């Protein structure tokens, strides 16, 4: 009896073998890409890569894309290639949520984005509800910091930036009255920025004498505003806007009789600003965690490769985009393939392209700060500044 | 070998292979051909499309450049005055062009005029735009990179043309360019894009892509085209494979690119693959069914054939005659042949069976052990004898290794004939000893098959009995050889002609000849006396044997040696005389020992005689000396006859010394022993000799620095050296060399036998060597005799060597004298070496001033004169002294005396009751009485016994006044303590 059973089993296993071989043969013949697809790591990317203020987002995307291409060139992450799925949030909160949801449904391991704080806050609800990691290279609004959520900010908080900028304006340049222009299309960031700046500036004895809001998505409206500027005697002007709009505003402010010192935010620290600002941008102040004159080997190598790839110099946005992908790579490697709870592998110290930085348990970055100024059409690093 | 499979499997498998392989090849070739054709077509189509797009844009840009060239011409020609420029520009119908706006920049890059006009646009600075800088530099025209228009906020490009008033700039919204692409839409999935010289998409049917300003420079089709390599490329983007082609737009250096996903481009090939797979599956099914049905007839034949062959295999040849019939003639012929074959096999098998039986019978009848071994030593055939001999059954032996059953080991024994035969390819033999002591003679013949070694025929025969006999013979022979060779006697075998056939080692040692020198030579040349030889030969002839006849033989060095010869005749097994065998004993040692014994006996006799004389002399001298001293104590007598009495006393003292020497020779003088090093004594003597030896005598001292100690009296050894040195000096009146030498020697048993008194072991050798006249041989036996001297009368007492002899004997040593006339003499004194420590030191003589006393003393001595001297001396010094002439008298006096005696002075040697018996008696009466023994033979007294019985001390005769008084006082005081 036992012998018969064995024979039957042998026959069965023989048939199973034949069927399996046939199955594999047919699988290769009909659908070879099924197996191939298993080896990819999907990453989502969302930013406002079209539209008037898209320069910053495009540069950020290029930084991210450059990092992904480089990783794939050197064998991927833990032997798996990375697929970057790029989406455009059109700087619209509803669109932002929609595309984030699409990416979650596409089973990406993390979403890189958004570029502005407003969009990131919109996407946060999707991230928190799905448990998917949302890692923004550039968002800096204080609304995103100090919270236990699924959002990670690779850029430093605007609070750190405003504290330093207010100190420079009031205590270094002795400006008592300031006028402010800000873009309401990224309201979360710009208004938050102005609030914190005003807090610190007032603290040092300064006064905000004028606030001008505009929506960068409406160019006609913007041009109307810039055609009739009144600074109310302010000796300093703070522009919290995208590079193009900052560049135009700077050109127009230079014509004002007050001849004020002009301060721009890191958001405008791009080649677009330099290109479109003309001669007027000389002597504009910035306070940023980006050092354009960095001589560190890793940055020089990145800068050279980036320029070769895109034919342009890297800026803060491309650098943050690139570093965001490196942070994700490290986290995925630490997770040993279990990417469901990727956020717990993010906190730690990182050797950035320009300097070391840390990401704390809330997913908030802490970086070094520099005082910059435009000189002969270039950004020049004046000094490293602490609060 | 793979797993066994059924014939049906093979038939089906090969049928499948034969059918499927051509189909698969056809399918693969078709696939490749279709793919090749498709690739060719796609390449052609995409190239044409890309070229069309490039040509279209080229025309467009040429038109726009021409338009701006007109504007430039108008501005530079002066037809339009400067204040009318704005009006002039605004007059252009921009909606008829692709330009979104037209502007004139001054030399600093600021907007001077703009259409459509807006005041706030004026003054916007373009100086940092690359295209502006280049146009100003080249004074030509140039297309810009993409940028966001500050006026519209849209992604745009600009054409700048230099003119004297400024740079004329036309800005184009890229959406307009993209709109032109829609007219080129063709097949499904075909993408048409235009990139700038940096690889950034600037026009595409999908406006969103353009707005994103995506750089696609990394795609091979773009990067290669930017390097000037245009053509069709395949590449992957994300997970999707693409095929693409690029063409250059020469006016502006842009690229028109047409791409298509591969799965869409090769959709028809994909369809073919699906169709072919279905066709292949169907064919496979049909082939399997056909391959199962078709070979049924062939399988039936094979089954039948298998059945028939099974019958043959099981010996059922008769059943092969009933065969089935097939419709195929060849099958029937095959089966018929099988039947014939089976009958032929049957006949052949029977004859083989008979031959096999005969062979096996023979094989099992052979008494020798026969194995047939494989190359690895495994038994594959064994006969009955081998099984019986080794205690196995034949079946048990098969498969076992030869060494397992023969030697009970797990590997080949050393020098295994099977292994050797395997290596040499020849017959190899070996005698083998089994564990149980049996012996086998084994031969292994190689079995060669097709020129290759495949095993051996292993034949073994029991040779145990033969081997035992051989061993016994060898053992006996060896025993005899040893006896012969190691005999302490000379043994020689001589043939009938009197020539040496064989001699032993002792013969070589004694005669000094080697075997080669003697073998084959006549024996008679060794006889010193031919008469003795003749006599011996005669005795042998007469009696056939000679017993212990003393003869004299000549050694190789010419020395004649006495030997004791025994000879007997030798015969072979047939009683034929072979020769004779002689035994000879060297008598030299025996003779020497006999001479020494005689000398020793003589010396012993002389010693006893001298001892006896000395005893009497001592008594006489005691009397003479005692009375002389008593008389000298008297003042008056001393004044009258003092000198004469002192001369008497001196003479008596000298006579005492003479007696002392005699006693020394006869070894009856006491000496005190301790461990001494002779070297120290020699060093002391040397100091004396350095002053006293004549100048013509050279003294040489050679001392062994590691010399062992001896147990001796220092004075006596000094006396030995002095006596020998004095003799040596006297033997060298003309001068010469005198050497005193010490060394350690160890005497073996053999060496010790050379001397009568010698014992084997470690000795200290003291040698006194001179180069004097030597001692004639006839005097050698007398030199130790007392009073023997060769010196003139008055120059020697004749006691020097006698004293030496006596001292050496008392030390259990012995003397060896080597002398040669005219050359010198060597005295070798051997002392037994001692290594003990802690020997008592000599007591020093106390300087006592004639002690006295009043105690009661009895002197018991049979010699009246001696006793009287004692009585007088002791009485003179205050003692109450009584004399008893014998032991018996003393006992009586002791019993009868009312007053107790404090001390008894008792002579040890007395007739009848001797000193010891007398002491026992007196002690039995008064255990507290003190007894002082007096004797002339201190060395003969058993001190231990005396003291055990209560003796207080001993005084040696002849004693003087001082000796007596001191001894008495000490005995009394000791007793009182």
């Amino acid at each position: 009896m036992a012998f018969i059973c064995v024979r039957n089993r042998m026959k069965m296993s023989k048939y199973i073998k034949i069927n399996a071989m046939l199955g594999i043969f047919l699988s290769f013949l009909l659908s070879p890409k099924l197996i191939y697809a298993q080896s990819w790591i999907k990453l989502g990317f969302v930013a406002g890569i079209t539209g008037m203020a898209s320069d910053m987002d495009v540069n950020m995307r290029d930084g991210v894309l450059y990092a992904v291409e480089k990783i794939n060139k050197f064998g991927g992450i833990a032997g798996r290639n990375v697929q970057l799925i790029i989406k455009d949030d059109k700087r619209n909160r509803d669109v932002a949520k929609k595309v984030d949801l699409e990416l979650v449904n596409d089973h990406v391991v993390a979403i890189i984005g958004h570029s502005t704080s407003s969009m990131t806050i919109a996407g946060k609800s999707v991230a928190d509800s799905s448990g998917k990691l949302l890692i923004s290279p550039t968002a800096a609004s204080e609304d995103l910091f100090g919270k236990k959520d699924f959002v990670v900010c690779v850029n430093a908080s605007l609070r750190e930036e405003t504290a330093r900028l207010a100190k420079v304006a009031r205590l270094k340049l002795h400006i008592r009255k300031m006028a402010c222009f800000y873009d309401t299309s990224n309201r979360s960031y710009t208004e938050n920025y102005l609030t914190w700046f005003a807090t610190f500036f007032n603290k040092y004895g300064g006064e905000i004498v004028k606030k001008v809001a505009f929506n960068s998505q409406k160019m006609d409206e913007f041009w109307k505003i810039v055609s009739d500027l009144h600074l109310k005697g302010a000796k300093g002007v703070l522009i919290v806007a995208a590079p193009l709009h900052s560049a135009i505003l700077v050109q127009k402010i230079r014509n004002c009789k007050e001849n004020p010192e002009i301060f721009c935010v890191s958001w405008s620290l791009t080649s677009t600003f330099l290109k479109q600002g003309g001669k007027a941008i000389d002597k504009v102040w910035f306070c940023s965690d980006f050092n354009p004159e960095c001589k560190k080997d890793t940055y020089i190598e990145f800068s050279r490769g980036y320029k070769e790839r895109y034919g342009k110099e890297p800026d803060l946005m491309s650098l943050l985009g690139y570093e965001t992908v490196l942070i994700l790579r490290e986290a995925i490697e630490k997770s040993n393939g279990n990417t469901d709870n990727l956020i717990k592998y993010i906190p730690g110290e990182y050797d950035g392209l320009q300097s070391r930085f840390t990401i704390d348990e809330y997913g908030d970055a802490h970086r070094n700060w520099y005082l910059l100024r435009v000189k002969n059409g270039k950004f020049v690093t004046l000094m490293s500044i602490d609060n | 070998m793979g797993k066994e499979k059924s014939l049906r499997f093979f038939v089906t498998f090969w049928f499948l292979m034969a059918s499927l392989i051509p189909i698969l090849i056809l399918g693969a070739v078709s696939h490749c051909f279709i793919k090749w054709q498709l690739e060719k077509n796609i390449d052609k189509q995409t190239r044409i499309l890309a070229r069309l797009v490039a040509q279209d844009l080229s025309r467009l840009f040429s038109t726009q450049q021409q338009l701006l060239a007109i504007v430039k011409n108008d501005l530079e020609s002066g037809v339009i005055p400067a204040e009318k420029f704005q009006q002039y520009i605004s007059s252009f119908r921009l909606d008829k062009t692709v330009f979104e706006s037209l502007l004139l920049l001054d030399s600093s890059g600021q907007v001077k005029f703009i259409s459509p006009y807006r005041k706030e646009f004026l003054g916007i600075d373009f100086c940092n735009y690359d295209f502006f800088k280049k146009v100003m530099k080249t004074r030509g025209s140039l297309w810009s990179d993409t940028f966001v228009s500050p006026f519209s906020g849209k992604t745009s490009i600009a054409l700048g043309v230099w003119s004297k008033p400024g740079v004329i700039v036309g800005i184009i919204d890229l959406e307009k360019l993209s709109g032109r692409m829609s007219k080129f839409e063709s097949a499904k999935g075909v993408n048409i894009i235009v990139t700038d010289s940096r690889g950034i998409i600037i026009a595409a049917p999908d406006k969103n892509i353009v707005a994103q300003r995506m750089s696609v420079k990394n795609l091979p089709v773009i990067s290669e085209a930017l390097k000037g390599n245009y053509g069709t490329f395949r590449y992957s983007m994300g997970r999707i494979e693409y095929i693409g082609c690029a063409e250059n737009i020469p006016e502006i250096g842009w690229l028109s690119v047409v791409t298509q996903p591969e799965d869409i481009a090769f959709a028809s090939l994909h369809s073919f693959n699906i169709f072919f797979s279905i066709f292949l599956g169907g064919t496979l099914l049909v082939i399997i069914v056909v391959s199962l049905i078709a070979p049924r007839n062939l399988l039936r034949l094979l089954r039948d054939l298998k059945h028939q062959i099974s019958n043959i295999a099981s010996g059922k040849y008769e059943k092969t005659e009933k065969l089935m019939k097939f419709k195929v003639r060849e099958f029937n012929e095959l089966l018929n042949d099988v039947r014939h074959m089976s009958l032929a096999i049957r006949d052949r098998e029977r004859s083989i069976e008979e031959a096999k039986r005969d062979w096996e019978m023979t094989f099992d009848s052979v008494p020798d052990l026969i194995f047939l071994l494989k190359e690895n030593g495994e038994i594959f055939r064994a006969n009955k004898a081998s099984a019986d001999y080794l205690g196995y059954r034949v079946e048990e032996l098969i498969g076992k290794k030869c060494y397992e059953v023969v030697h009970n080991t797990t590997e080949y024994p050393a020098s295994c004939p099977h292994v050797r035969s395997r290596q040499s390819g020849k017959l190899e033999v070996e005698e083998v000893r089994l564990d149980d002591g049996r012996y086998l003679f084994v031969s292994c013949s190689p079995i060669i098959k097709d020129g290759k070694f495949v095993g051996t025929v292993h034949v073994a025969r029991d040779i145990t009995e033969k081997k035992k006999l051989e061993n016994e013979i060898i053992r006996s022979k060896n025993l005899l050889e040893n006896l012969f060779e190691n005999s302490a006697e000379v043994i020689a075998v001589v043939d009938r002609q009197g020539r040496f056939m064989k001699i032993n080692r002792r013969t070589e040692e004694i005669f000094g000849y080697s075997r080669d020198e003697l073998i084959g030579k006549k024996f008679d040349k060794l006889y010193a006396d031919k008469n003795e030889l003749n006599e011996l030969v005669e005795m042998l002839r007469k009696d056939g044997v000679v017993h212990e006849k003393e003869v004299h033989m000549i050694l190789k060095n010419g020395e004649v040696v006495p030997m004791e010869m025994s000879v007997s005749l030798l015969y072979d097994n047939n009683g034929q005389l072979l020769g004779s065998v002689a035994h000879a004993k060297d008598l030299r040692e025996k003779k020497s020992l006999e001479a020494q014994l005689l000398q020793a006996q003589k010396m012993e006799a002389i010693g006893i005689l001298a001892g006896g004389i000395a005893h009497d002399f001592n008594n006489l001298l005691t009397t003479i000396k005692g009375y002389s001293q008593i008389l000298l104590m008297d003042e008056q007598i001393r004044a009258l006859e003092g000198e004469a009495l002192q001369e008497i006393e001196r003479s008596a003292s000298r006579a005492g010394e003479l007696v002392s020497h005699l006693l020394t020779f006869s070894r009856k003088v006491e000496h005190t022993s301790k461990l001494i090093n002779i070297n120290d004594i020699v060093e002391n003597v040397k100091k004396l000799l350095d002053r006293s030896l004549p100048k013509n005598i050279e003294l040489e001292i050679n001392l062994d620095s590691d010399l062992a100690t001896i147990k001796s009296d220092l004075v006596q050894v000094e006396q030995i050296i002095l006596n020998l040195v004095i003799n040596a000096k006297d033997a060298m009146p003309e001068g010469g060399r005198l050497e005193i030498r010490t060394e350690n020697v160890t005497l073996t048993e053999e060496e010790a036998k050379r001397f009568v008194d010698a014992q084997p072991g470690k000795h200290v050798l003291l040698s006194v060597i001179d180069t004097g006249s030597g001692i004639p041989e006839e005097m050698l036996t007398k030199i130790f005799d007392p009073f023997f001297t060769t010196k003139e009368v008055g120059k020697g007492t004749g006691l020097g060597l006698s004293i030496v002899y006596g001292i050496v004997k008392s030390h259990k040593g012995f003397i060896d004298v080597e002398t040669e006339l005219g050359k010198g003499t060597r005295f070798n004194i051997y002392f037994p070496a001692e290594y003990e420590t802690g020997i008592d030191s000599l007591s020093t003589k106390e300087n006592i001033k004639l002690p006295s006393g009043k105690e009661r003393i009895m002197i018991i001595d049979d010699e009246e004169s001696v006793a009287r001297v004692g009585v007088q001396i002791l009485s003179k010094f205050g003692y109450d002294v009584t004399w008893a002439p014998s032991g018996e008298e003393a006992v009586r006096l002791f019993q009868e005396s009312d007053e107790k005696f404090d001390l008894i002075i008792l002579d040890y040697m007395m007739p009848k009751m001797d000193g010891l018996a007398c002491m026992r008696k007196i002690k039995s009466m008064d255990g507290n009485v003190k007894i002082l023994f007096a004797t002339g033979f201190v060395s003969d007294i058993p001190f231990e016994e005396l003291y055990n019985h209560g003796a207080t001390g001993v005084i040696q005769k002849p004693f003087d006044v001082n000796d007596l008084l001191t001894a008495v006082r000490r005995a009394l005081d000791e007793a009182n303590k």
Side-chain angles (χ1 to χ4, degrees), chain A residues 225-288:
Chain A
I225 289 167
V226 299
S227 64
D228 187 23
L229 293 176
H230 297 286
L231 300 182
K232 286 191 176 177
K235 289 292 178 187
V237 175
L238 172 65
I239 304 168
V240 189
L244 171 65
H245 302 88
S246 297
I248 294 168
L249 271 169
V250 169
Q251 290 190 43
K252 293 296 178 186
I253 290 165
R254 288 291 183 216
N255 296 330
C256 294
K257 62 180 187 220
E258 286 89 351
N259 191 22
E261 295 284 354
I262 304 172
F263 302 87
C264 288
V265 296
S266 293
W267 188 9
S268 301
L269 197 71
T270 66
S271 53
T272 304
F273 178 79
L274 295 178
K275 185 164 77 175
Q276 298 189 320
K279 295 185 194 71
I281 54 168
D282 257 21
K283 297 184 182 176
V284 171
W285 296 93
F286 287 86
C287 186
S288 175

Side-chain angles (χ1 to χ4, degrees), chain B residues 212-258:
Chain B
Q212 289 177 13
R213 281 171 284 166
M214 177 74 86
S215 170
V216 286
K217 187 183 173 184
N218 59 326
L219 300 181
V221 66
I222 311 287
S223 60
E224 289 299 317
L226 288 173
K227 289 177 198 163
N229 303 322
Y230 306 102
T232 306
F233 291 87
R234 297 174 80 165
Y235 58 93
S236 61
M237 206 160 74
R239 298 184 201 171
I240 303 166
E241 300 289 326
Y242 283 90
I243 188 162
C245 175
E247 277 294 330
N248 184 34
I249 304 169
E251 284 76 11
I252 50 177
W254 294 357
L255 297 172
S256 72
V257 185
V258 178

Side-chain angles (χ1 to χ4, degrees), chain A residues 29-30, chain B residues 267-280:
Chain A
L29 203 67
L30 299 174
Chain B
S268 52
L269 182 65
H270 187 59
S271 302
F272 168 79
N273 285 345
I274 293 169
F275 168 75
F276 182 75
S277 300
I278 294 165
F279 169 73
L280 192 67

